[in-house]
Amino acid sequence: MKQTDSIDKNAKVFIEKLPVLTDEVLNKPNGRDFTCEFKALKKLFDSFAIIDEFTDFLITDCYNEIKISLMKWDRFADKTSSVALEFKKLLDYFYEVMKDLYFYEIFGFFSTTVHPEDVPELNLPCKVFCGCADGWQREPYLDEKGRVQYIDVVRFQDPKNKDAPLSITIENPHLLESREKCSLTDEQLEAIKNFIRVNKGIIVLHNMGLIDSPGFHAALKIKIAPKENHVKYRIVYSYRECIAGIKWPLNEYYIDMDDMSYDEALKHFDKIKEEMQKSLNAGPEDYDLAYLEILRPDEGKNFCCFCDAVFDGDGNSTWPIFYKQDGEKHRCCDECNKKYVIAAREDRTLIMKFRKQFNIDYTEYQE
């Protein structure tokens, strides 16, 4: 058996044993001696975690399981119990070792950093990290009933708390950690949340590895100032996801590009298609590229000003979220028309809410 196979095997056993031991320590501490179990688990951990040769996803799984155990300890442990306190020391040891491995092997390699100075128009208060591989963005947390859940996040480096990046969810953006762990003001946090709301479509494509780091930064700048950043060509594509053996077609997506001319993109069509299919195959899920087109920036397709989905035809007016003639210039897909536009027409109290949500300069639209 290869050394890597042995290390992977030990890591998998650790991932299975840690949550079981955590529940036993937190639920049955009365009079029981866990010394042997603690020593055995540490010996198992040291057999693989000090060697950075085991598989990437196992590094991530180990890191997440340790974080989950620490969260459970914080919420449920009897802080006066000597057994619980000894277990906390063991968890802290696991965390410090695995944290170094995770941030050295995984975090930076599979993420793109957006520095405040990269795109000053975003007004970001600190460094923000967006994943460039499917699965990087999944962050564990405990719900109100103490059950383990995972949610997709964007991470940021708190200027004062630099132990590990903090997380803001992509859906309904909010801080995942406790507010006490974050030194940013509410206004600074809101700037990161708004960055996620406005650029959600780009962030999701980058998570899946369909936009590389230079393309991600270029897309952010194009989104902010489309007239100043001249789009040279547009990629329109669709892919299928395999679930339970059935391949489900998904929506169309677009990426506006400025890395080469339209004619050069046509010349490299096969390479672009091959690279995108490789990106789709890079993650744990099974995706098949359904089709891909290279278009001129102003050709053929439209995209929704709310969700970035590509659609054929003229789409729908966005009045009254966008005001007067802007409601005709900014069009939306059928799904967002029902979700936002029709809802705002039926309940006018939603108009200002949606304008703020999508970072529309609503001050000039006051009626």
Side-chain angles (χ1 to χ4, degrees), residues 174-338:
H174 62 274
L175 183 67
L176 196 59
E177 292 81 8
S178 64
R179 186 66 178 88
E180 292 75 21
K181 292 185 177 181
C182 180
S183 70
L184 298 180
T185 66
D186 290 342
E187 290 76 14
Q188 289 173 321
L189 269 178
E190 187 60 32
I192 300 177
K193 293 177 186 177
N194 198 53
F195 161 74
I196 296 171
R197 294 187 193 104
V198 173
N199 299 290
K200 177 183 172 184
I202 300 170
I203 291 169
V204 171
L205 291 175
H206 189 53
N207 285 157
M208 297 169 60
L210 298 180
I211 306 178
D212 62 11
S213 293
F216 179 68
H217 280 93
L220 292 179
K221 292 176 181 178
I222 290 171
K223 186 94 173 183
I224 291 169
K227 294 181 180 178
E228 297 176 11
N229 297 275
H230 299 292
V231 177
K232 295 179 180 177
Y233 68 98
R234 171 177 290 178
I235 297 174
V236 179
Y237 68 96
S238 179
Y239 63 90
R240 299 185 184 92
E241 181 178 8
C242 186
I243 302 176
I246 302 174
K247 292 184 178 179
W248 299 92
L250 300 182
N251 293 332
E252 295 176 336
Y253 298 91
Y254 83 98
I255 312 173
D256 280 340
M257 304 296 292
D258 65 353
D259 59 333
M260 66 180 82
S261 69
Y262 170 73
D263 290 335
E264 288 174 317
L266 286 181
K267 188 183 299 183
H268 293 91
F269 176 85
D270 290 339
K271 184 178 180 182
I272 292 172
K273 187 175 181 180
E274 180 183 353
E275 289 178 350
M276 182 161 283
Q277 184 60 67
K278 285 182 180 178
S279 296
L280 288 168
N281 292 338
E285 303 295 335
D286 184 12
Y287 300 110
D288 286 334
L289 191 64
Y291 76 88
L292 181 144
E293 295 180 76
I294 303 294
L295 302 175
R296 297 183 186 277
D298 56 351
E299 185 181 7
K301 303 285 182 179
N302 293 300
F303 60 91
C304 177
C305 63
F306 296 127
C307 73
D308 290 341
V310 176
F311 58 84
D312 290 303
D314 295 331
N316 303 279
S317 168
T318 54
W319 178 88
I321 299 174
F322 283 91
Y323 191 54
K324 293 184 177 178
Q325 66 271 21
D326 280 348
E328 301 306 317
K329 183 170 63 176
H330 299 277
R331 313 291 289 184
C332 70
C333 66
D334 291 341
E335 185 176 343
C336 287
N337 184 50
K338 295 176 184 177

Side-chain angles (χ1 to χ4, degrees), residues 147-165:
R147 296 172 300 194
V148 178
Q149 307 285 349
Y150 282 84
I151 195 166
D152 290 348
V153 300
V154 163
R155 297 180 174 91
F156 67 94
Q157 183 65 69
D158 188 282
K160 293 184 179 178
N161 178 16
K162 296 186 177 181
D163 177 57

Side-chain angles (χ1 to χ4, degrees), residues 14-15 18-19 22 60-70 91 140 150:
F14 176 83
I15 291 168
L18 177 59
T22 299
T60 302
D61 288 347
C62 285
Y63 179 64
N64 285 338
E65 284 298 338
I66 294 166
K67 285 197 296 183
I68 291 167
S69 291
L70 282 167
L91 291 177
Y150 282 84

Side-chain angles (χ1 to χ4, degrees), residues 24-122:
E24 289 179 352
V25 170
L26 298 182
N27 296 329
K28 306 171 185 176
N30 297 332
R32 179 175 169 185
D33 185 1
F34 284 90
T35 303
C36 292
E37 287 91 334
F38 291 172
K39 287 183 178 179
L41 194 63
K42 184 178 183 299
K43 183 177 180 180
L44 176 64
F45 180 80
D46 288 343
S47 72
F48 69 87
I50 59 174
I51 305 172
D52 56 353
E53 295 181 2
F54 62 116
T55 308
D56 288 345
F57 77 84
L58 287 175
I59 295 177
T60 302
D61 288 347
C62 285
Y63 179 64
N64 285 338
E65 284 298 338
I66 294 166
K67 285 197 296 183
I68 291 167
S69 291
L70 282 167
M71 286 187 283
K72 287 183 176 180
W73 192 95
D74 286 338
R75 187 179 297 189
F76 302 117
D78 176 2
K79 309 301 189 293
T80 64
S81 165
S82 59
V83 172
L85 293 174
E86 190 65 27
F87 187 53
K88 178 64 160 56
K89 291 180 183 178
L90 186 62
L91 291 177
D92 287 341
Y93 169 75
F94 291 160
Y95 178 75
E96 288 303 317
V97 174
M98 191 55 61
K99 180 184 69 171
D100 290 342
L101 274 175
Y102 176 75
F103 284 97
Y104 179 77
E105 294 284 339
I106 305 296
F107 187 86
F109 188 75
F110 290 110
S111 67
T112 295
T113 305
V114 182
H115 297 271
E117 61 271 21
D118 290 341
V119 193
E121 298 87 346
L122 295 174

